[in-house]
Amino acid sequence: MDNATFTSLATGLLVLVGLAQAAVLVGQRRQQRLDWSEVYRRRWAEAKEDFAKVVFLGRQHGAYYQVADPELIQKLNLAVAESSLHTPTIWALASVRNVCGILSDICQRIMQGQLHVQEAYPLFGTEFLRHSAALRSILDGSYLPNYGRLGPSDVEKLHESVRQEVKTWLVCHDGIRRRCLILIDLLWAEAARLEDLPPADLTRAAEAKKTTGKRNRTRLLNEVLRLNGLFAIFRGLRLSRFLRHAEYRRSIRRIGLNPKRLEMLETEWTSRYLGS
């Protein structure tokens, strides 16, 4: 065997070894992501009651749409009525700390490349997103309760006081607050990509993102760079571009929602569920 043949065989062998190592590494990373998914699936299942409490606080007192069952709602109403302005509301703070801690952790894994949005989305699904407005109202203070001409009752004042208490906790933990908002945006974009939500919900969100879309994409990019450094800029750009799935499409070749298709889906949805 001459030197040229030996060199060719050695090079081929090295290539095969490199490919095998790459395949093993890809398999290991995929298994790691599956392991993370299972860990967070269990944690989120265990936090179901805490999420119900957070939604309860995020909505106005007496709101119809809730995650909690009537028995838990009754207990929460009693707990709010017994709350004091002079001592911390432990159950409320513990719930928001647990729920937002999980959401922040998952968002951080995504921004570090250890978990994909498509893998995190099934952990929550559309049920979480249908109640995300209540969570967002605590995270970004976008909700302004309407108490009518007579103003809030005593129990409504206590409800608002507890809500302000958990909002203050989030302000003091701004990194957790930011990452929770980013995760909601990412999950909403995935739901829009899959067309998992009613077209009316997608349309309302897309209309809102005419003014908030750029801000949301910038917030995500800045958080990725803050967490991983400048070398992660391409991951940050890719994730921020992913948010465009929940915005109106600007051209034929770009990602996003097509208004004409939303109108068609709305007609189909109305015909199917409302019989008109």
Side-chain angles (χ1 to χ4, degrees):
M1 181 181 297
D2 56 25
N3 289 338
T5 303
F6 179 79
T7 301
S8 298
L9 289 174
T11 302
L13 182 61
L14 288 174
V15 170
L16 290 175
V17 171
L19 291 174
Q21 289 177 337
V24 170
L25 182 60
V26 169
Q28 288 176 340
R29 295 194 64 172
R30 175 174 173 76
Q31 183 59 48
Q32 186 180 48
R33 294 199 306 270
L34 292 174
D35 291 341
W36 280 121
S37 297
E38 183 58 30
V39 168
Y40 288 118
R41 187 187 305 279
R42 291 198 300 268
R43 287 182 63 184
W44 186 246
E46 293 169 357
K48 182 178 179 180
E49 184 170 314
D50 285 326
F51 180 57
K53 294 176 181 178
V54 172
V55 171
F56 169 81
L57 292 174
R59 297 196 186 281
Q60 189 167 330
H61 175 76
Y64 176 78
Y65 291 104
Q66 297 285 350
V67 177
D69 58 38
E71 182 179 356
L72 180 56
I73 292 293
Q74 186 176 2
K75 292 180 180 179
L76 292 175
N77 283 329
L78 180 60
V80 167
E82 293 176 346
S83 63
S84 171
L85 299 176
H86 306 292
T87 57
T89 311
I90 301 300
W91 63 268
L93 294 172
S95 295
V96 76
R97 183 167 55 243
N98 191 20
V99 168
C100 292
I102 295 173
L103 299 181
S104 175
D105 286 352
I106 293 175
C107 183
Q108 188 166 328
R109 296 291 178 190
I110 292 174
M111 292 189 295
Q112 289 176 326
Q114 298 172 343
L115 198 63
H116 293 165
V117 179
Q118 292 81 356
E119 295 163 337
Y121 177 74
L123 306 181
F124 302 96
T126 56
E127 183 64 21
F128 169 80
L129 292 176
R130 295 300 302 274
H131 292 282
S132 63
L135 177 57
R136 190 184 290 274
S137 73
I138 294 176
L139 292 167
D140 65 7
S142 60
Y143 175 74
L144 296 175
N146 180 15
Y147 296 117
R149 182 173 56 85
L150 298 178
S153 64
D154 290 341
V155 68
E156 287 172 333
K157 289 179 181 178
L158 288 172
H159 187 98
E160 183 61 27
S161 173
V162 177
R163 189 214 309 273
Q164 292 299 326
E165 192 174 345
V166 299
K167 287 171 66 174
T168 300
W169 185 91
L170 286 164
V171 169
C172 295
H173 299 80
D174 196 53
I176 292 177
R177 187 191 67 84
R178 291 193 311 268
R179 287 187 286 275
C180 288
L181 287 169
I182 290 171
L183 182 63
I184 293 173
D185 291 336
L186 287 168
L187 295 177
W188 194 276
E190 176 66 1
R193 186 181 73 85
L194 298 176
E195 296 180 350
D196 273 1
L197 291 167
D201 290 354
L202 297 176
T203 300
R204 281 194 295 268
E207 288 291 335
K209 292 178 189 302
K210 287 181 178 180
T211 56
T212 63
K214 183 177 180 181
R215 180 201 65 187
N216 296 344
R217 295 193 302 273
T218 301
R219 177 172 57 201
L220 192 158
L221 178 59
N222 290 340
E223 194 71 16
V224 171
L225 296 180
R226 184 182 294 110
L227 183 64
N228 302 290
L230 188 60
F231 289 106
I233 188 169
F234 292 109
R235 183 188 305 144
L237 290 172
R238 176 176 55 81
L239 286 172
S240 63
R241 182 175 182 270
F242 184 80
L243 295 185
R244 289 189 180 274
H245 281 293
E247 300 177 31
Y248 283 130
R249 185 179 301 175
R250 295 189 177 183
S251 69
I252 297 176
R253 289 178 293 180
R254 290 191 177 185
I255 64 175
L257 297 167
N258 186 333
K260 292 183 178 180
R261 176 162 178 78
L262 285 175
E263 291 179 5
M264 182 190 70
L265 292 174
E266 177 65 21
T267 301
E268 293 178 354
W269 190 90
T270 303
S271 175
R272 183 181 304 118
Y273 296 108
L274 301 181
S276 60

